[in-house]
Amino acid sequence: MSTPYPFTAIVGQDDLRLGLLLNAVSPAVGGVLVRGEKGTAKSTAVRALAALMPEVPVVPGCRFSCDPGSPDPACPDGPHAEAAGVSRAARTVELPVGASEDRLVGALDIERALSEGVKAFEPGLLADAHRGILYVDEVNLLHDHLVDLLLDAAAMGASYVEREGVSVRHAARFLLVGTMNPEEGELRPQLLDRFGLTVEVSASRDTDERVEVVRRRLAYDDDPEGFAARWAEEESALRERIAAARVLLPRVVLSDGVLRQIAATCAAFEVDGMRADIVMARTATTLAAWAGREEVTADDVRQAALLALPHRRRRNPFDAPGLDEDKLDQTLDEAGPQEDGSDDDDPDPGPDGGGDGGGGGGVPPQADGDRTPPSASQSDDTPSPAPESAPDTPGRPAGGEQQPVAAAEPFRTKMLSVPGLGEGAAGRRSRARTEHGRTTGAVRPQGALTKLHLAATVQAAAPHQRSRGRSGRGLVVRRDDLRQATREGREGNLVLFVVDASGSMAARQRMSAVKGAVLSLLLDAYQRRDKVGLVTFRGKEAEVALPPTSSVDAAAARLESLPTGGRTPLAAGLLKAHDVLRVERLRDPSRRPLLVVVTDGRATGGPEPVALAGRAGRLHRSEGTASVVVDCESGYVRLGLAGELARELGGTAVTLDELRADSIAGLVKDVTAAGRAA
């Protein structure tokens, strides 16, 4: 087994270390979600934490790690007789992004269950992680149904497996740690809420600190055991501090005044539900125990808010994370006792977890110089205002370039889907053959059986019972009798937006409405778990403003800074979209595309621009690309060019009004990839 990188050797990342240590002291805090750019020691810190956890006493031979002092009465390996337990190190179990449901919760031996009537259960990762750490790298890329199972188990402290009348339950209490890169997509807000704490991490911009990171990493790679030995004393001291904080935790007092501050803070920031209040109370109590105190202070409450509230305030992917710290301080002052003479500017000088000091026994989550401010927490790809937004200069296209305009308020859109039956990634847009959904039939399993079709299996086995010598009540089942259930659910698609940013769209009120419509479609794509891409065209060319990604907030940022003006190279936009889709078909052939063209249909510039746009549209049609044209034409005189473009694409056209889900004029329209009569 390789030697893990020492936790105490990690440079900086004070918030990350503090969040993990608080959960090590009290798993009741609810786990931690680590958000940040790649290469910021997220995985290293999580794997290093296991070495600091106290050893776990377990019942010998129990596959579910039952505590010998209070074994689980419902343990599938029980009941356990009284016996001396054995101690082992706490486990860190990693859940791969591509794991199956059976691998997570465990699997039943269906053949034995049918033929022998026994519950032959093979434990999954949830059982392995019981009383340890369950680490999910790239949790935002995990399939929704796995995230639901995972967070349900974390909330209930137990895992339930219910299949074809066979039920198994076992304890599953673990420290849940998830890491994610926001550039690759967000978690749904209701799932974010299930993590107790969240921390934002980024690489230090301090030269000396970066040098020290590289120096330590190179030393570790050259001699892992020797490097770990040099940090053994610090590791031992931190391990002892965790154990001491665990002993002190039950004695920490949470006064009514502090509870009032917690409730006032959650109310002031308008978080949903009561989970935030409970998590803040547990976190503040743990912070006090970590500092060696038996009473929670206002500084503990402040730090708990900075750890427990930012991710609970995000209601859609376009909300910036973070808290207004001035508002937080004002709320704490107003809700706190008047006789409290504590100085907000003088943090608690108690020891920290290896940083430079801070209130509540930890490190201030917003340390100056080491933290990207909330407004700057976008990905590195987020563009700043382009230099092209300068006033008109000679040589610019006719009509000039205009400053970007703000998007109108987003709205709920009509359902747009790709026709047919796909086999892409799990999502919520188009019909697809999936592992989860309604049962539509049965087939012989090609590999391991995952979803038994009970009726079809019994029907296949029934004619052979006499020849197999059946004499009792049990059904004699052979491997050839088993049938796999085929199921139909929903898939996520690649939604590629092709947005007209030419002069004909540049009227401020009109472009604001167009951006609002695209923003609404982006929000819909986020909710339906799609990948999105953005192609824009204006002037003389088209460009890929955002390559296909799962991060719709990155697409929203690109849309916000989109300038307008110039001619309308519609054909160039469609051909650029064709290039993007061609590459994506090679990268992810199972994910079906949906082309959304946002334009008034006009085409200018070059010889025969309208005919060229028509040929580009027919190119998409010939490859079976599902498409929809959002008609942005306005005014009393309408040319109907967007409708003509939709017919060339073999898709359909909807107006901005019809795009709204609450529009009376708009009917629910499935996009058709098949050719339509002109």
Side-chain angles (χ1 to χ4, degrees):
M1 182 177 180
S2 60
T3 303
Y5 192 92
F7 190 88
T8 50
I10 295 172
V11 179
Q13 304 299 6
D14 299 330
D15 296 349
L16 170 59
R17 291 186 288 125
L18 180 60
L20 293 172
L21 289 170
L22 292 178
N23 276 276
V25 173
S26 175
V29 166
V32 59
L33 175 65
V34 185
R35 297 164 42 91
E37 59 196 32
K38 51 188 174 293
T40 49
K42 299 188 296 292
S43 300
T44 299
V46 176
R47 295 186 177 106
L49 181 66
L52 301 175
M53 301 286 285
E55 288 193 337
V56 179
V58 297
V59 174
C62 178
R63 297 174 298 166
F64 301 87
S65 302
C66 278
D67 186 346
S70 56
D72 181 8
C75 176
D77 284 356
H80 297 296
E82 292 187 8
V86 296
S87 294
R88 61 162 175 78
R91 294 172 179 163
T92 296
V93 177
E94 296 192 30
L95 174 60
V97 169
S100 65
E101 181 179 337
D102 287 344
R103 186 72 187 99
L104 177 63
V105 301
L108 294 169
D109 189 331
I110 299 296
E111 188 171 354
R112 289 190 63 194
L114 285 173
S115 60
E116 302 175 29
V118 297
K119 296 179 181 179
F121 181 70
E122 184 66 28
L125 294 176
L126 291 179
D128 293 341
H130 180 46
R131 305 175 68 200
I133 301 171
L134 182 60
Y135 171 45
V136 189
D137 193 15
E138 306 294 354
V139 65
N140 52 325
L141 303 182
L142 201 64
H143 286 180
D144 282 356
H145 69 281
L146 292 182
V147 176
D148 292 338
L149 289 170
L150 176 64
L151 296 180
D152 283 345
M156 296 185 296
S159 175
Y160 295 85
V161 182
E162 305 280 351
R163 288 185 182 168
E164 277 72 40
V166 182
S167 175
V168 174
R169 173 212 170 273
H170 65 83
R173 293 183 295 275
F174 44 81
L175 192 168
L176 176 62
V177 182
T179 59
M180 59 175 283
N181 184 347
E183 295 177 6
E184 297 172 339
E186 287 285 352
L187 276 174
R188 303 196 309 270
Q190 59 269 38
L191 300 183
L192 283 171
D193 184 58
R194 300 295 286 272
F195 283 94
L197 310 179
T198 185
V199 294
E200 298 275 345
V201 296
S202 60
S204 173
R205 299 299 182 255
D206 181 80
T207 301
D208 292 338
E209 192 167 289
R210 295 174 75 97
V211 167
E212 185 61 23
V213 170
V214 175
R215 181 182 291 119
R216 293 186 186 182
R217 185 69 207 192
L218 293 177
Y220 170 77
D221 290 341
D222 289 341
D223 183 10
E225 294 184 0
F227 184 82
R230 292 196 292 274
W231 290 90
E233 185 175 344
E234 288 83 351
E235 292 281 288
S236 178
L238 191 55
R239 192 179 298 110
E240 291 174 1
R241 186 177 176 186
I242 292 173
R246 284 189 169 193
V247 173
L248 179 61
L249 184 62
R251 303 201 302 269
V252 175
V253 176
L254 190 68
S255 67
D256 289 343
V258 169
L259 277 174
R260 181 170 292 276
Q261 285 184 311
I262 291 172
T265 301
C266 292
F269 286 99
E270 300 179 350
V271 295
D272 294 333
M274 295 298 298
R275 184 176 283 116
D277 304 63
I278 296 171
V279 171
M280 271 191 66
R282 289 173 174 167
T283 305
T285 303
T286 308
L287 281 164
W290 181 244
R293 289 183 273 101
E294 295 188 6
E295 185 174 352
V296 178
T297 67
D299 285 336
D300 296 329
V301 176
R302 185 182 192 279
Q303 193 155 12
L306 291 170
L307 291 169
L309 295 188
H311 61 301
R312 292 185 165 85
R313 298 189 64 244
R314 289 178 64 109
R315 286 171 170 76
N316 66 61
F318 313 133
D319 293 339
L323 291 180
D324 183 339
E325 295 194 44
D326 292 335
K327 179 179 178 180
L328 174 60
D329 291 334
Q330 180 181 353
T331 302
L332 292 174
D333 288 342
E334 292 174 352
Q338 297 299 319
E339 66 273 15
D340 186 2
S342 62
D343 184 1
D344 289 340
D345 295 326
D346 182 18
D348 179 49
D352 59 39
D356 298 324
V363 181
Q366 300 286 346
D368 292 338
D370 291 335
R371 182 68 177 263
T372 302
S375 62
S377 62
Q378 303 291 340
S379 69
D380 292 339
D381 292 334
T382 302
S384 57
E388 289 86 14
S389 59
D392 291 70
T393 58
R396 286 194 178 275
E401 185 176 284
Q402 301 185 14
Q403 294 282 355
V405 299
E409 189 70 20
F411 51 85
R412 190 165 63 90
T413 65
K414 289 290 186 184
M415 172 67 171
L416 301 174
S417 62
V418 178
L421 197 62
E423 296 181 343
R428 298 184 174 182
R429 182 173 297 279
S430 305
R431 294 174 54 224
R433 287 181 288 268
T434 62
E435 288 290 324
H436 301 271
R438 63 186 183 89
T439 301
T440 58
V443 296
R444 290 180 180 271
Q446 298 300 315
L449 180 70
T450 56
K451 299 292 181 183
L452 178 76
H453 194 295
L454 184 58
T457 298
V458 172
Q459 185 176 4
H464 309 290
Q465 296 305 295
R466 179 175 296 180
S467 62
R468 292 174 182 173
R470 173 184 171 183
S471 58
R473 299 177 59 185
L475 188 68
V476 180
V477 179
R478 301 280 189 261
R479 172 68 187 176
D480 291 342
D481 300 330
L482 299 180
R483 295 294 183 269
Q484 175 86 17
T486 58
R487 301 194 176 190
E488 182 178 310
R490 292 280 172 176
E491 67 177 359
N493 298 111
L494 166 59
V495 182
L496 182 61
F497 294 93
V498 181
V499 180
D500 185 348
S502 65
S504 66
M505 304 278 288
R508 295 187 66 84
Q509 184 175 0
R510 184 178 180 191
M511 196 62 195
S512 177
V514 169
K515 284 189 175 183
V518 178
L519 198 64
S520 303
L521 290 166
L522 282 172
L523 184 57
D524 181 68
Y526 163 75
Q527 294 167 341
R528 300 189 188 281
R529 314 301 287 172
D530 295 318
K531 290 179 69 175
V532 297
L534 179 61
V535 172
T536 63
F537 59 93
R538 66 185 181 89
K540 296 182 179 180
E541 59 184 14
E543 65 173 346
V544 181
L546 183 73
T549 175
S550 297
S551 179
V552 296
D553 51 344
R558 298 297 176 92
L559 180 70
E560 187 68 25
S561 61
L562 178 66
T564 58
R567 296 184 180 275
T568 312
L570 177 57
L574 294 175
L575 292 174
K576 181 68 72 174
H578 179 267
D579 291 341
V580 172
L581 294 180
R582 177 178 54 81
V583 173
E584 285 302 307
R585 284 190 180 98
L586 297 175
R587 289 177 177 171
D588 192 358
S590 64
R591 189 182 289 268
R592 298 186 295 163
L594 173 61
L595 184 68
V596 178
V597 185
V598 184
T599 182
D600 56 10
R602 290 181 172 86
T604 59
E608 299 183 343
V610 176
L612 186 59
R615 288 198 294 272
R618 291 192 293 274
L619 178 61
H620 284 281
R621 178 177 178 175
S622 67
E623 296 185 353
T625 303
S627 60
V628 60
V629 177
V630 180
D631 185 358
C632 302
E633 191 174 25
S634 60
Y636 294 105
V637 179
R638 295 177 179 253
L639 302 178
L641 297 175
E644 292 290 339
L645 176 62
R647 283 188 282 274
E648 297 286 9
L649 286 165
T652 189
V654 294
T655 65
L656 290 176
D657 288 338
E658 291 173 336
L659 192 62
R660 293 179 177 270
D662 54 359
S663 171
I664 297 177
L667 301 176
V668 178
K669 297 183 178 181
D670 282 343
V671 183
T672 58
R676 292 191 175 188

